Amino acid sequence: MKKIGETLFKSIVFTAAILVAAALFGIIFFLFSESLRAMKEIGWDLFSTEWFPVWEKPDFGIRTMLLNSIILTLWTSFVVFSIGIIVALYLHSYANKREKELMLRVLEYVSGIPSVVLGFFGIVIVAPILLKAGAWTGQNFFNASFMLSVLTLPFMISLSYQSLEKVPKEISEAAVSIGARDFAVMIVELRYAMPGIVNAMMSVFNRIFGETMIVLMVAGGSNLLVRSFFDPIRPLTATLGSELGEVEVKSLHYSALFFIGFLLLAISLAITLLTNYIVRWRERWIRG
Amino acid sequence: MRKSLLLLILVIATLINAETLVIKGSNTVYPIAQLWVEQFQKMYPNVTATLEGAGSSTGISALLNGTCDIANSSRFLKAGEVEQMHKNSRYFVPLVIAYDGIAVIVNPNLGIDSISIETLNKIYTGQITEWSQVDPKLPKKTIAAYSRNTASGTFEVWLEKVLKGEKLSPRIQMLESSQAEIESVAKNQYAIAYTGMGYVTSQVKALKVEGIDPTIENVLSGKYPLSRPLFVFFDLSRFNNMWPENNVIADYIRFILSPEGQKLVEKAGYIPAYGTSK
């Protein structure tokens, strides 16, 4: 009897695992097959700058949006990584117990805020402040970047902090005993915690790259290549989120939107694989 | 046990007995149709009405294929569609059920009251980027021009009547909803946007277009340039070209033309084709 139960349980778990894997491949295949038409009919023009999907002679060029997406993600990631690691180091090395508890509790709450609420906050509170500061429009690159930082900083801080806490006491004590100062000790600890931090960086990067609601609401929605912090932009995800709901099914526009989805997935998968490769097989690169 | 069985049979019986009404078409008309269907099902509980917004063309071709009973459309039939209709000896009856009037809105603090379509075209195609180019009396400030996203019916009108098929300047900011437009224009003193007339609030100022005030009367009389009629089509050839007195389609049409039905048009932010009670 026990054996039957065990076998049954095993088979259920096995099926579940298979289903998840199948779903992932199913999604990739679905996105690919739906975007095939755009790839065939538009070809390399998919990477031109003009995106005019509903005009009589439509253009489906995603270059501007792709570049804006990448620039926004790189800049925001840079900000989030630097602030996140500095705060995590502070919590790890200087903060007393009460400070730590308070900060971690606050971060937990902040990380639970839905992105649509953050977007709303960006429109209602941040945009008027930016206007007062001299921006010609309230929804812009800076606003989006700021709200995305608010969204992802809690993850970055708490994940980096956890990695730092896992550094064995012997490592830091050894550093101290050979005469290292605070700063040098921190470097040693950071290096030891690096694989965890790199993982955190990857998930933050992917989160920013794929975030739709915030950029849809506060990035500005214009197909302008960003030149200053106050330029309105429209990242790829915003276009997808804005247009997919109303597009005629199976049309060229529909297919072009699926191409965007496919591209987003491909980039995000590539980054994940690269990070895994670095963390697993090339630990030396980052630990030194 | 027996009672529940009886109930089940009763439910199945009503389901089999129920009439269906399939409505398809324009996304512009969708918000109105949604309110209509909701109310209509309350009045006729034995009717199962389904509503799908997939674009005017899809709705009209569905009516031609016989896969829907009512087609919503934000435009009149194209020449090709009329030909198709004759080829299949069909008889589509068009009803103007509402008008989509578009107001051009700016911040109340901006010293401008009237604007021409030509100027609007220049702003939205990017030939003009500062207010002083519109009127030398206005400040030399960058125009923050907003547009609804390309999926919206409001944008369709803009593309046809203001852009006239020309391409939108990349500086134009796409917004996802009329509320977002009102909000943005109310906050930014140098912003301009356009929105369905039903959405205009006191937070923003609606401009005269070509000297004509955006009022319901001016839309109904056809003076106001930024408006278009919205249609509902049904196929009379299914009833031997006779008015289907006892059919659910007739009930539906009677309802949407009634004062209650037309009030829902207003609620959805459009202009009732049969005037308002005001």
Side-chain angles (χ1 to χ4, degrees):
Chain A
M1 198 59 204
K2 205 176 168 193
K3 234 180 187 171
I4 296 176
E6 212 170 89
T7 331
L8 198 69
F9 180 72
K10 260 188 191 165
S11 56
I12 289 175
V13 172
F14 182 71
T15 332
I18 289 284
L19 274 181
V20 170
L24 179 66
F25 283 106
I27 289 172
I28 296 176
F29 178 75
F30 176 66
L31 285 178
F32 180 74
S33 65
E34 290 292 339
S35 57
L36 215 54
R37 185 177 165 204
M39 290 190 223
K40 265 187 204 148
E41 286 181 31
I42 310 170
W44 286 107
D45 279 349
L46 274 170
F47 290 101
S48 63
T49 53
E50 311 254 284
W51 178 262
F52 292 113
V54 298
W55 274 251
E56 210 155 295
K57 272 193 193 143
D59 283 313
F60 299 102
I62 63 169
R63 194 204 296 161
T64 318
M65 296 184 284
L66 180 64
L67 286 176
N68 278 335
S69 259
I70 292 172
I71 295 168
L72 177 68
T73 310
L74 285 179
W75 167 253
T76 313
S77 303
F78 171 71
V79 172
V80 171
F81 294 169
S82 345
I83 299 180
I85 291 176
I86 290 171
V87 174
L89 272 177
Y90 171 79
L91 283 180
H92 173 69
S93 326
Y94 293 108
N96 62 32
K97 215 176 163 206
R98 269 184 61 199
E99 274 179 318
K100 271 184 203 172
E101 263 174 22
L102 182 77
M103 264 306 271
L104 291 175
R105 188 67 55 80
V106 168
L107 288 178
E108 209 175 296
Y109 291 143
V110 174
S111 68
I113 300 177
S115 55
V116 64
V117 174
L118 289 176
F120 190 69
F121 182 83
I123 289 181
V124 176
I125 313 283
V126 182
I129 295 174
L130 290 178
L131 278 176
K132 274 208 187 112
W136 60 276
T137 169
Q139 297 105 320
N140 52 35
F141 181 88
F142 182 84
N143 197 337
S145 175
F146 180 71
M147 291 329 295
L148 285 169
S149 313
V150 174
L151 178 79
T152 50
L153 255 177
F155 295 103
M156 189 65 206
I157 295 173
S158 57
L159 287 175
S160 321
Y161 171 73
Q162 278 163 22
S163 316
L164 281 172
E165 288 288 281
K166 276 189 205 135
V167 175
K169 277 275 172 301
E170 293 83 17
I171 299 278
S172 16
E173 275 161 12
V176 173
S177 64
I178 56 171
R181 296 177 176 219
D182 278 3
F183 185 69
V185 174
M186 270 186 231
I187 297 291
V188 169
E189 286 177 331
L190 255 186
R191 277 200 165 163
Y192 195 89
M194 218 46 188
I197 294 178
V198 169
N199 261 327
M201 283 174 165
M202 178 206 69
S203 51
V204 162
F205 188 91
N206 273 338
R207 184 81 206 266
I208 297 173
F209 191 66
E211 173 57 37
T212 306
M213 207 58 215
I214 287 181
V215 291
L216 193 57
M217 292 171 86
V218 301
S222 63
N223 200 15
L224 196 68
L225 189 62
V226 60
R227 292 225 162 73
S228 86
F229 277 120
F230 291 153
D231 275 346
I233 59 163
R234 193 181 206 205
L236 279 177
T237 46
T239 304
L240 198 58
S242 162
E243 291 173 14
L244 197 56
E246 303 283 345
V247 70
E248 192 186 325
V249 177
K250 301 283 175 195
S251 62
L252 193 57
H253 184 191
Y254 176 85
S255 182
L257 287 176
F258 268 92
F259 177 73
I260 294 181
F262 180 66
L263 196 70
L264 286 171
L265 184 71
I267 293 175
S268 156
L269 265 182
I271 290 166
T272 312
L273 289 176
L274 184 74
T275 336
N276 278 347
Y277 174 74
I278 292 175
V279 172
R280 292 237 180 99
W281 306 107
R282 289 285 182 269
E283 256 191 82
R284 280 216 187 136
W285 288 0
I286 45 178
R287 274 199 178 147
Chain B
M1 186 65 197
R2 200 168 272 172
K3 250 186 194 166
S4 59
L5 205 69
L6 213 66
L7 200 72
L8 193 74
I9 291 170
L10 205 72
V11 167
I12 291 171
T14 38
L15 274 181
I16 292 168
N17 208 8
E19 290 178 275
T20 58
L21 183 69
V22 183
I23 305 166
K24 262 188 197 172
S26 164
N27 291 313
T28 316
V29 187
Y30 188 85
I32 314 176
Q34 211 173 14
L35 295 175
W36 280 341
V37 166
E38 218 170 86
Q39 187 64 28
F40 186 68
Q41 289 205 303
K42 271 185 211 151
M43 294 162 63
Y44 299 88
N46 63 330
V47 178
T48 325
T50 60
L51 175 64
E52 196 185 313
S56 303
S57 305
T58 320
I60 290 166
S61 65
L63 192 63
L64 202 70
N65 299 335
T67 48
C68 79
D69 301 312
I70 302 268
N72 297 329
S73 176
S74 56
R75 56 168 175 81
F76 195 69
L77 299 173
K78 286 180 183 165
E81 285 160 350
V82 174
E83 226 161 78
Q84 279 277 318
M85 186 180 89
H86 277 284
K87 223 182 257 168
N88 296 304
S89 45
R90 298 297 183 80
Y91 181 14
F92 292 174
V93 180
L95 292 168
V96 175
I97 42 87
Y99 288 92
D100 189 3
I102 289 170
V104 179
I105 53 172
V106 294
N107 191 283
N109 296 327
L110 193 69
I112 182 171
D113 284 313
S114 181
I115 201 159
S116 70
I117 297 222
E118 201 195 331
T119 315
L120 285 173
N121 176 285
K122 279 185 182 158
I123 291 174
Y124 277 85
T125 53
Q127 296 167 50
I128 287 180
T129 54
E130 279 173 357
W131 281 111
S132 54
Q133 291 167 293
V134 176
D135 184 345
K137 275 178 259 163
L138 289 167
K140 197 172 154 48
K141 288 279 188 182
T142 309
I143 301 174
Y146 292 98
S147 162
R148 277 300 309 280
N149 60 353
T150 51
S152 80
T154 322
F155 176 80
E156 265 173 44
V157 185
W158 201 252
L159 180 59
E160 182 194 323
K161 310 243 169 178
V162 174
L163 289 172
K164 302 192 167 102
E166 284 175 66
K167 295 201 162 151
L168 205 62
S169 152
R171 300 176 64 84
I172 308 302
Q173 297 181 251
M174 297 286 188
L175 290 179
E176 295 307 307
S177 69
S178 303
Q179 280 78 13
E181 285 189 306
I182 304 276
E183 182 73 23
S184 304
V185 173
K187 292 253 162 73
N188 187 347
Q189 204 183 329
Y190 303 107
I192 186 167
Y194 60 89
T195 173
M197 273 169 58
Y199 293 105
V200 177
T201 66
S202 57
Q203 289 173 286
V204 294
K205 178 163 69 178
L207 298 181
K208 288 180 191 173
V209 178
E210 303 283 344
I212 311 278
D213 265 319
T215 60
I216 292 169
E217 292 76 40
N218 285 339
V219 169
L220 288 176
S221 67
K223 277 189 211 150
Y224 186 69
L226 296 179
S227 74
R228 62 171 174 178
L230 301 176
F231 297 91
V232 157
F233 290 97
F234 66 99
D235 186 2
L236 211 54
S237 67
R238 286 185 208 171
F239 311 102
N240 295 322
N241 294 354
M242 294 281 284
W243 173 245
E245 188 56 48
N246 293 318
N247 191 279
V248 59
I249 292 180
D251 291 333
Y252 180 72
I253 285 165
R254 209 174 286 127
F255 165 66
I256 66 177
L257 299 184
S258 71
E260 296 87 61
Q262 289 291 301
K263 229 170 235 149
L264 294 178
V265 170
E266 218 175 349
K267 198 177 164 194
Y270 295 93
I271 297 157
Y274 296 81
T276 50
S277 46
K278 274 183 212 164

